[in-house]
Every structure is written in C-alpha cells, then in structure tokens.
C-alpha cells in the first residue's frame, strides 16, 4: 500500500480550496445555495447505504455490486461533504469543529457516572 500524499495538516486548507471552488461555480446562491449544499450531504450518506447494500449483496436482484473499499470511499465523501458544508456556514469551520470534537470526546470518554 502506498503512503498517503497528504498529511492531516492538509485537511483544512483542502476544505477551504474545495469550498472556494464550489462557490465560484454554483448555479444557485444565497439561501437556496446554502440549502442545496446541506442536501448534498444526504445524497452522500445515501451512497454509503447503497455501497453497504452492494457490499453485502442484500439486493437479490443485483447481488454483490460493491466492495468494502467502496464503502470506505463513500464514507470519506460524507466527511469531506460535511466539512465543506460546515465551511459554508462559517469561515471558522476548523475552530467550530475542533471545539465540538473536544466536547464530544470529553462527554464520551470522560469519567463514567453511576
């Protein structure tokens, strides 16, 4: 397996570049464009479901049509789409995400009660 060509430090600059690229060539702007960007996330999640169904052969008419590598790829698309959608809502997407992740981590991995 080859080494990744990008480091984790490339994540937010890449999100910023993808956001700028989408903003430069979007047919709908304003509130409509914002809502459509959020709906794109649902489309990507649906593609994860389709890949899982295809990887498990759950559709008897189609059989096995995907691999677990396809599922991984689709999950990556969900993450990228979500981060670009967050960047669409705020130029401080990195800070918002890091603060939220810290909160979820503390809630989930913090001291157990009861």
């Amino acid at each position: 397996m080859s080494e990744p060509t990008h480091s984790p430090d490339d994540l937010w600059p890449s999100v910023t570049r993808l956001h700028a690229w989408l903003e430069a060539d979007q047919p709908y702007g304003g509130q409509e464009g914002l809502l459509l960007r959020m709906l794109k996330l649902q489309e990507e999640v649906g593609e994860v479901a389709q890949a899982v169904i295809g990887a498990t052969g759950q559709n008897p008419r189609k059989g096995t049509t995907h691999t677990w590598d396809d599922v991984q790829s689709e999950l990556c698309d969900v993450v990228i789409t979500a981060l670009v959608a967050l960047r669409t809502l705020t130029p401080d997407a990195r800070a918002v995400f890091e603060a939220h992740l810290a909160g979820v981590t503390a809630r989930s991995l913090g001291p157990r009660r009861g």
Side-chain angles (χ1 to χ4, degrees):
M1 180 180 255
S2 65
E3 290 296 315
T5 57
H6 299 294
S7 75
D9 295 332
D10 293 334
L11 175 68
W12 291 104
S14 293
V15 168
T16 298
R17 288 193 312 273
L18 288 167
H19 173 260
W21 170 70
L22 287 169
E23 288 296 304
D25 191 28
Q26 94 175 336
Y28 298 95
Q31 189 73 9
E32 190 174 18
L34 175 68
L35 294 174
L36 289 169
R37 181 82 39 91
M38 300 306 132
L39 287 176
K40 179 66 175 166
L41 184 56
Q42 182 60 42
E43 178 191 15
E44 295 298 341
V45 171
E47 290 176 9
V48 171
Q50 181 180 21
V52 169
I53 289 167
T56 58
Q58 289 301 300
N59 183 336
R61 185 174 53 83
K62 294 181 180 180
T64 302
T65 58
H66 291 74
T67 67
W68 288 105
D69 285 344
D70 294 327
V71 176
Q72 290 176 21
S73 179
E74 296 300 344
L75 285 169
C76 289
D77 288 348
V78 168
V79 172
I80 293 164
T81 302
L83 292 175
V84 171
L86 181 60
R87 173 56 189 87
T88 300
L89 290 175
T90 176
D92 297 325
R94 181 180 190 153
V96 168
F97 180 78
E98 288 175 356
H100 189 78
L101 179 60
V104 169
T105 301
R107 267 193 328 269
S108 301
L109 302 178
R112 298 271 182 198
R113 295 189 183 111

